Amino acid sequence: MHSWLHTARFLTTAPRLEHLPDLNVPEVAFVGRSNAGKSTCINTLTQQRRLAFASKTPGRTQAINLFALGRKGETDAVLADLPGYGYAAVPREAKLRWQRVMGNYLLTRANLAGVVMLVDPRLGLTELDELLLEVIRPRVEQGMPFLVLLTKSDKLNHAEAQKALSIARLQSGGGQALLFSALKRKGLDQVAGLLWQWTRQWTPVGEPSAS
């Protein structure tokens, strides 16, 4: 499972939805606030330092970046890195445009096989996280996998971490919640296992579900 994630390579970047390639392989989207540690998480999972660009200025990524997964150059799944949201220095107009793009992506992307929402457990789910959760709730209720990943969990003691996890589970709207730390490599196996499972149980668009 881990070595499969290590095959990740840059596929394309799309400043608008219409620039996204029409793919018939499972796609897992990573979403989260600008400072939630999204790029670090993707780089840790794929064991590549610079795959997802961890910018010193949060909010800099203003496009959907796709990374292909698959051995021997084949693409059997895709990771989608969506722009971080909620960074104060980004003009309001740009924020609103990106909220629309992300909302449309999460509602309409046909090959979406699951969503990982990264949350700083010291802040918990913010208003923007909850807005995004409302957008995808119909798809989660229809069975699309959803994970709230509490990043930077090494910054909490055991009691704080367990409390944050309990709250996130309640707020996940039928999804799952896990503690994660790129620094301590905590939760790495569980996340890798879930991504593998999600992409393997995905049904190609236009084909009847196995269940």
Side-chain angles (χ1 to χ4, degrees), residues 35-65:
N35 52 359
K38 188 160 49 67
S39 300
T40 306
C41 174
I42 292 171
N43 290 340
T44 304
L45 286 168
T46 58
Q47 274 206 345
Q48 296 184 47
R49 280 188 187 163
R50 302 278 295 171
L51 185 71
F53 186 65
S55 173
K56 294 268 190 300
T57 48
R60 184 168 165 176
T61 308
Q62 291 290 291
I64 297 171
N65 292 314

Side-chain angles (χ1 to χ4, degrees), residues 70-91:
R71 295 188 175 92
K72 297 180 182 168
E74 293 288 314
T75 298
D76 57 27
V78 167
L79 301 180
D81 181 13
L82 271 65
Y85 48 84
Y87 187 60
V90 176

Side-chain angles (χ1 to χ4, degrees), residues 1-207:
M1 287 181 294
H2 286 88
S3 60
W4 171 70
L5 281 171
H6 301 166
T7 66
R9 57 209 178 269
F10 180 76
L11 182 63
T12 189
T13 185
R16 296 182 181 276
L17 290 186
E18 57 266 29
H19 298 154
L20 283 170
D22 194 9
L23 300 171
N24 207 11
V25 294
E27 193 162 291
V28 176
F30 284 73
V31 299
R33 283 178 61 86
S34 295
N35 52 359
K38 188 160 49 67
S39 300
T40 306
C41 174
I42 292 171
N43 290 340
T44 304
L45 286 168
T46 58
Q47 274 206 345
Q48 296 184 47
R49 280 188 187 163
R50 302 278 295 171
L51 185 71
F53 186 65
S55 173
K56 294 268 190 300
T57 48
R60 184 168 165 176
T61 308
Q62 291 290 291
I64 297 171
N65 292 314
L66 300 185
F67 308 111
L69 294 171
R71 295 188 175 92
K72 297 180 182 168
E74 293 288 314
T75 298
D76 57 27
V78 167
L79 301 180
D81 181 13
L82 271 65
Y85 48 84
Y87 187 60
V90 176
R92 186 167 179 273
E93 203 50 45
K95 277 185 197 167
L96 292 172
R97 183 173 76 81
W98 268 111
Q99 281 166 14
R100 282 195 296 273
V101 170
M102 286 170 66
N104 288 339
Y105 167 88
L106 293 165
L107 283 174
T108 64
R109 188 70 169 154
N111 62 324
L112 193 60
V115 175
V116 180
M117 179 190 279
L118 292 97
V119 172
D120 185 331
R122 295 166 300 176
L123 297 173
L125 264 73
T126 63
E127 188 184 354
L128 286 168
D129 295 319
E130 287 175 4
L131 278 172
L132 194 133
L133 188 50
E134 281 305 307
V135 168
I136 60 168
R137 197 180 296 276
R139 290 189 81 164
V140 175
E141 285 171 353
Q142 287 161 14
M144 188 183 73
F146 174 65
L147 172 66
V148 175
L149 200 58
L150 299 171
T151 59
K152 310 178 187 181
S153 65
D154 51 280
K155 298 187 188 297
L156 305 179
N157 65 34
H158 181 74
E160 290 167 340
Q162 291 309 308
K163 184 181 176 186
L165 189 59
S166 298
I167 293 168
R169 281 187 177 136
L170 287 173
Q171 293 178 310
S172 67
Q176 295 168 272
L178 282 175
L179 293 164
F180 185 84
S181 166
L183 190 68
K184 306 270 185 177
R185 303 185 74 75
K186 181 185 177 74
L188 211 55
D189 290 347
Q190 294 100 310
V191 178
L194 279 177
L195 297 184
W196 175 264
Q197 187 186 324
W198 292 0
T199 56
R200 291 305 170 269
Q201 69 191 23
W202 176 81
T203 306
V205 180
E207 291 186 19

